[in-house]
């Protein structure tokens, strides 16, 4: 059933089934209303008679345990009802985590750390959202850690981030992104600098595990960890590193038996490794679409969206006032290395960057570190700006920033390979 349009249509769903639809056209708009019964989207309950609006790029699966009627208007590329859904298994995973939480609460121990792993486009961030929503619906306050630098569910791509989840995600917007803890990585894949990636993951794990002790409810609620879709070779080594850094007690493997068996072999027997099917509604995205999603996230960081527009600032900064650095120096041959220094040390070295025209469109991270003598890698990020112009004659750059001029005193900016063409009108 494709290209539904007109005055709308009612879909009657039986228990344990879901309505799936996708929207690919620009400016397309689909409105869904729950007429009767009970339904949820990725763990967030739908309110009866309330209109929910979805636009281009939406891939939606509305699930019901008991049956419901949904009224849908608008134009979709794909729309169907499916009885084949893994939601019951996902609910069982939540129930198992809840057992761990109750035990942790009784004994005043740290709650469960669950990692969600699998190749790209199997629904890892969707499963994280479902587990987090179910947790807050029973009164928990879990942390959500996002290690997927390729897409970035919390901060923009090229960073790892953690956020406290206190209420269910909004159906249309997802979780609020207020006050995240963000660490700069600066590449779209861990392969950009494996040593640095492991260092920032370790740092974030250390800080978030310590922070659990500050609040009793969060301590017993634990952490849900989303990971990258790179699961072979060095990518697999990164997963093992993250599992050790966070002390994961459960690893949910989506749709890959080989990865499941490798983890069973390589993680301690005390870690529960569970193989889960992906949802039939999960669709593989092309490289172009993944790039578009990255761009959209950066654009939303600066400009917001139709529901909550932001108005960023543009201002000039002279080269002499621009304290710009990158983490990771080009490799040196062993013969040129200082005695006792290893090549790995180069991967985490903070190096000054001289502004050139090549800097245009690059996203820069503003760190809370005030000097290169500080622990730049282990210091979190205050925000981002983007270079929209480089004027070599005037020795100045133009920055797009959520905050007005000037940059904070002693502002230290970190280069990132991510680029954003600011063509917003």
């Amino acid at each position: 059933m494709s290209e539904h349009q007109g005055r709308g249509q009612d879909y009657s769903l039986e228990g344990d089934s879901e309505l799936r639809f996708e929207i690919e056209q620009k400016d397309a708009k689909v409105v869904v209303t729950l007429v009767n019964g009970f339904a949820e989207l990725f763990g967030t309950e739908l309110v009866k008679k309330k209109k929910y609006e979805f636009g281009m790029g939406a891939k939606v699966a509305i699930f019901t345990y008991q049956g419901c009627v949904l009224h849908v208007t608008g134009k979709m590329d794909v729309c169907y009802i499916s009885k084949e859904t893994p939601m019951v298994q996902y609910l069982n995973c939540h129930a198992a985590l809840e057992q761990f939480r109750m035990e942790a609460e009784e004994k005043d121990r740290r709650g469960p750390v669950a990692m969600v792993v699998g190749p790209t486009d199997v629904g890892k961030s969707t499963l994280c959202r479902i587990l987090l929503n179910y947790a807050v619906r029973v009164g928990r306050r879990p942390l959500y850690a996002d290690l997927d630098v390729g897409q970035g569910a919390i901060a923009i791509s090229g960073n790892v981030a953690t956020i406290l989840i206190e209420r269910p995600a909004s159906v249309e917007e997802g979780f609020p992104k207020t006050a995240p803890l963000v660490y700069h990585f600066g590449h779209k894949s861990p392969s950009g600098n494996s040593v640095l990636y492991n260092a920032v993951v370790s740092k974030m794990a250390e800080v978030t595990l310590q922070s659990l002790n500050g609040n009793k409810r969060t301590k017993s609620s634990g952490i849900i960890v989303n990971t990258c879709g790179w699961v072979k070779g060095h990518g697999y080594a990164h997963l093992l590193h993250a599992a050790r850094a966070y002390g994961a007690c459960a690893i949910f493997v989506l749709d890959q038996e080989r990865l499941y068996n490798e983890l069973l072999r390589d993680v301690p027997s005390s870690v529960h490794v569970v193989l889960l099917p992906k949802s039939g509604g999960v669709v593989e995205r092309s490289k172009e679409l993944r790039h578009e999603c990255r761009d959209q996230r950066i654009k939303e960081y600066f400009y917001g969206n139709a529901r909550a527009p932001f108005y960023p600032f543009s201002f000039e900064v002279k080269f002499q006032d621009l304290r710009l650095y990158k983490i990771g120096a080009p490799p040196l041959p062993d013969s040129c290395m200082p005695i006792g220094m290893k090549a790995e040390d180069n991967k985490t070295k903070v190096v000054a960057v001289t502004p050139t025209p090549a800097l245009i469109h690059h996203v820069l991270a503003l760190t809370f570190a005030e000097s290169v003598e500080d622990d730049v890698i282990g210091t979190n990020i205050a925000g981002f700006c983007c270079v929209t112009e480089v004027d070599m004659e005037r020795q100045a750059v133009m920055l797009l920033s959520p905050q007005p001029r000037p940059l904070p005193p002693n502002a230290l900016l970190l280069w990132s390979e991510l680029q954003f063409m600011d063509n917003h009108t």
Side-chain angles (χ1 to χ4, degrees):
M1 283 193 282
S2 69
E3 304 254 338
H4 297 259
Q5 202 173 14
R7 278 170 295 179
Q9 189 173 340
D10 283 349
Y11 291 88
S12 186
L13 279 72
E14 295 167 19
D16 289 348
S17 62
E18 60 190 13
L19 176 73
R20 296 176 186 156
F21 63 83
E22 289 170 42
I23 310 165
E24 284 176 14
Q25 291 104 330
K26 278 192 174 170
D27 306 321
K29 192 172 81 170
V30 171
V31 177
V32 178
T33 314
L34 175 64
V35 179
N36 61 46
F38 298 90
E40 58 180 51
L41 176 82
F42 307 140
T44 303
E45 288 182 286
L46 268 59
V47 177
K48 230 174 255 179
K49 308 293 182 204
K50 184 177 174 182
K51 289 179 163 59
Y52 295 99
E53 196 177 290
F54 303 92
M56 184 194 122
K59 290 176 174 55
V60 176
I62 298 173
F63 177 77
T64 178
Y65 285 106
Q66 295 143 308
C68 69
V69 175
L70 296 164
H71 183 72
V72 184
T73 59
K75 191 171 179 179
M76 297 164 279
D77 294 272
V78 179
C79 181
Y80 62 95
I81 293 171
S82 174
K83 289 286 287 175
E84 296 294 313
T85 165
M87 283 297 290
V88 176
Q89 282 152 286
Y90 295 170
L91 182 66
N92 290 341
C93 291
H94 159 69
L97 291 175
E98 198 48 34
Q99 285 291 311
F100 283 123
R101 290 179 187 124
M102 284 153 77
E103 206 176 293
E105 212 167 21
E106 276 170 35
K107 297 176 179 171
D108 193 28
R109 285 210 308 249
R110 194 186 287 152
V113 176
M115 276 175 63
V116 177
V117 304
T120 51
D121 298 328
V122 290
K124 291 188 295 297
S125 42
T126 299
L127 177 56
C128 289
R129 182 167 163 173
I130 290 165
L131 294 173
L132 290 161
N133 276 328
Y134 283 165
V136 289
R137 278 168 62 180
V138 294
R140 304 293 179 187
R141 294 179 74 213
L143 290 173
Y144 177 28
D146 183 31
L147 310 183
D148 183 1
V149 291
Q151 289 301 303
I154 300 171
I156 62 174
S157 307
N159 302 273
V160 296
T162 299
I163 200 162
L164 175 66
I165 305 295
E166 298 182 272
R167 58 185 65 87
S170 125
V171 165
E172 294 125 325
E173 300 278 319
F175 293 111
K177 311 287 193 305
T178 43
L181 174 71
V182 182
Y183 286 96
H184 172 77
F185 173 58
H187 303 272
K188 290 177 279 212
S189 161
S191 61
N193 187 336
S194 284
V195 176
L196 176 60
Y197 182 76
N198 281 344
V200 291
V201 166
S202 292
K203 183 64 190 178
M204 193 167 75
E206 180 196 327
V207 171
T208 46
L209 289 169
Q210 276 174 0
S211 75
L212 285 180
N213 301 325
N215 180 295
K216 202 172 177 191
R217 246 170 87 198
T218 300
K219 184 179 180 179
S220 59
S221 300
I223 309 175
I224 303 290
V225 183
N226 187 28
T227 57
C228 289
W230 183 26
V231 296
K232 291 180 182 170
H234 286 303
Y236 178 69
H238 289 312
L239 293 181
L240 290 178
H241 173 84
R244 280 193 301 273
Y246 278 92
C249 73
I251 302 178
F252 299 127
V253 185
L254 279 168
D255 195 46
Q256 199 177 84
E257 214 165 324
R258 173 186 159 174
L259 179 60
Y260 165 71
N261 283 301
E262 285 176 335
L263 286 165
L264 274 182
R265 179 193 70 206
D266 294 333
V267 299
S269 54
S270 57
V271 180
H272 301 267
V273 185
V274 182
L275 180 62
L276 293 170
K278 68 174 179 182
S279 164
V282 170
V283 183
E284 271 197 39
R285 292 175 296 176
S286 64
K287 264 191 173 171
E288 291 73 31
L289 190 55
R290 293 176 77 79
H291 180 74
E292 262 176 54
C293 290
R294 262 198 296 270
D295 256 14
Q296 189 58 31
R297 288 282 297 111
I298 299 171
K299 186 176 178 181
E300 280 180 11
Y301 175 80
F302 290 110
Y303 289 101
N305 54 36
R307 289 183 193 89
F310 301 154
Y311 302 95
F313 301 86
S314 264
F315 54 85
E316 190 180 81
V317 179
K318 295 286 186 191
F319 287 178
Q320 66 201 41
D321 301 324
L322 194 67
R323 298 169 75 220
L324 180 59
Y325 295 86
K326 70 175 284 193
I327 302 172
L332 285 170
D334 288 345
S335 56
C336 299
M337 294 288 246
I339 293 166
M341 191 177 172
K342 295 191 191 116
E344 278 86 37
D345 303 342
N346 242 29
K347 299 280 191 182
T348 54
K349 197 176 172 190
V350 180
V351 189
V353 174
T354 307
T356 68
L359 194 59
I360 194 161
H361 306 313
H362 277 274
V363 174
L364 310 178
L366 174 65
T367 171
F368 279 114
E370 291 191 354
S371 96
V372 283
E373 276 70 55
D374 294 346
D375 176 13
V376 176
I377 292 167
T379 305
N380 53 316
I381 293 302
F384 303 94
C385 52
C386 180
V387 180
T388 53
E389 248 178 84
V390 180
D391 190 328
M392 295 307 287
E393 268 183 50
R394 299 187 63 246
Q395 295 277 289
V397 295
M398 195 66 109
L399 294 182
L400 178 73
S401 161
Q403 295 290 328
R405 74 173 75 218
L407 286 171
N410 301 325
L412 212 70
L413 292 167
L414 299 175
W415 176 92
S416 139
E417 73 170 8
L418 275 104
Q419 290 179 287
F420 171 61
M421 297 269 292
D422 179 29
N423 47 18
H424 189 81
T425 50

